[in-house]
Amino acid sequence: MAIATELLKPTSRAEAALLEQIDLKRLPRHVAIIMDGNGRWAQRRHLPRIAGHRAGVKIAREVIETCARLKVPALTLYAFSLENWRRPKAEIDFLMRLLREYLKKELPSIHRNNIRLLVIGRAAQLPEAVQKDIEKAMRLTAQNTGMKLIVALNYGGRAELVDAFNSILDRVRLNGLAAFQADEETISDHLYTAGLPDPDLLIRTSGEMRVSNFLLWQIAYAELYITDTLWPDFTRERLLEAFVNFQQRERRYGGLSSPHETGNGAR
Ligand code: FPP
């Protein structure tokens, strides 16, 4: 049986101690992260906000690598929300440039590590150059069988539900209404995340107690982990702490005992 320290070389005693506590069989199957606090991180250092975003990309890279090494099946990062268009144009342009830079630099290593890149959100409204880079990355990694890295871009949870309802209506129009009845599976199957397990761990950095329109349907049973740590400070050690904390929780799914204990496999 693999142990965590065989998959990931600890870089400090603290990391080693956390890795010792991790049971690989009980890692989350899908980690979703609201990466918040880049601006505040920069402000505290008297730096421009964009310096916070740059530091944020570095941490995203570290988190992606850690999850991939530990064989977490899916990781979703909230990189740009529908609401983020309200930011100053210069900051939006910088974020788009940063994303393209990230893809250009990291795509070879993402591919080499058998990671499959997916994008969720209304991608058609993104700048054309970004769309092209995303399509290229998704095409290149389409056959990869390792971790799924899902980047939420121009994403909103309510918009996703609207898109799902409209796509269900399209299906009804095409096939006729008579025998059609929607159930939870129908809705899940029409979300951007169709085919992915629902997140079982939702991490939010920088302390805000909100879900901010992120994966509204999918996080119904997710464990919430909200930390005051700002995103650029959310190092590997902080992520491992979140995993250990997740493993200490008893998941009930509205019932009396955790499926990990009963082995009934309910999600
Ligand atoms: C929140 O900080 C972060 C964002 C708006 C998203 C940007 C994310 C990155 C740059 C990470 C990169 C991810 C990938 C996949 C390459 P904020 O500006 O809202 O901080 P504040 O709340 O302190 O102002």
Side-chain angles (χ1 to χ4, degrees):
M1 189 191 64
I3 55 168
T5 43
E6 281 171 8
L7 301 179
L8 195 66
K9 280 261 164 298
T11 57
S12 67
R13 273 174 183 229
E15 270 182 30
L18 288 161
L19 281 166
E20 295 256 316
Q21 293 177 64
I22 285 181
D23 174 358
L24 291 176
K25 293 195 302 298
R26 296 184 58 217
L27 277 176
R29 299 204 308 158
H30 184 168
V31 182
I33 308 185
I34 301 175
M35 308 177 287
D36 197 12
N38 293 349
R40 275 162 282 177
W41 182 92
Q43 203 175 21
R44 283 181 198 175
R45 285 164 178 74
H46 307 288
L47 294 169
R49 290 177 60 80
I50 56 173
H53 294 317
R54 261 205 193 286
V57 171
K58 252 172 118 174
I59 283 296
R61 193 190 180 286
E62 188 171 322
V63 164
I64 293 164
E65 187 194 342
T66 305
C67 289
R69 286 197 191 281
L70 291 178
K71 302 192 188 302
V72 169
L75 169 67
T76 299
L77 300 177
Y78 203 178
F80 195 85
S81 72
L82 282 173
E83 291 77 22
N84 284 154
W85 293 108
R86 291 194 212 122
R87 294 188 179 210
K89 183 172 180 309
E91 185 176 345
I92 295 173
D93 289 348
F94 183 81
L95 283 169
M96 295 297 157
R97 261 207 318 279
L98 206 54
L99 181 76
R100 295 193 64 202
E101 226 176 75
Y102 170 81
L103 283 178
K104 194 166 172 211
K105 197 160 151 225
E106 299 297 333
L107 191 56
S109 125
I110 287 178
H111 188 41
R112 218 175 27 249
N113 285 292
N114 196 24
I115 295 171
R116 178 167 181 199
L117 188 112
L118 298 161
V119 169
I120 57 170
R122 290 183 171 165
Q125 289 157 10
L126 292 167
E128 238 169 71
V130 176
Q131 290 186 46
K132 283 213 175 99
D133 288 353
I134 291 170
E135 278 158 22
K136 181 179 152 205
M138 292 203 295
R139 218 178 313 117
L140 178 73
T141 63
Q143 305 304 322
N144 290 351
T145 54
M147 184 176 83
K148 292 192 174 83
L149 169 61
I150 303 113
V151 183
L153 273 179
N154 200 26
Y155 175 88
R158 287 189 173 183
E160 179 179 30
L161 287 167
V162 169
D163 289 351
F165 288 178
N166 280 320
S167 128
I168 293 170
L169 286 173
D170 283 346
R171 191 177 103 182
V172 168
R173 278 188 210 106
L174 206 69
N175 300 334
L177 255 174
F180 181 78
Q181 251 205 318
D183 54 17
E184 290 191 9
E185 205 181 329
T186 319
I187 295 175
S188 291
D189 287 348
H190 285 82
L191 295 173
Y192 307 146
T193 51
L196 292 167
D198 283 341
D200 36 13
L201 175 61
L202 173 68
I203 297 174
R204 178 170 191 143
T205 57
S206 89
E208 245 78 62
M209 300 287 179
R210 293 192 282 275
V211 293
S212 295
N213 202 14
F214 191 40
L215 303 174
L216 294 178
W217 174 274
Q218 299 89 331
I219 60 170
Y221 293 101
E223 294 293 328
L224 307 182
Y225 183 85
I226 297 173
T227 168
D228 285 335
T229 303
L230 304 176
W231 176 248
D233 293 327
F234 195 73
T235 54
R236 173 183 284 180
E237 192 180 321
R238 299 282 92 83
L239 176 66
L240 296 177
E241 280 170 3
F243 287 168
V244 168
N245 179 285
F246 172 82
Q247 295 193 335
Q248 285 163 351
R249 299 191 194 183
E250 189 189 355
R251 309 198 66 213
R252 290 178 184 271
Y253 306 89
L256 289 177
S257 64
S258 142
H260 286 306
E261 284 153 22
T262 58
N264 68 10
R267 298 303 311 167

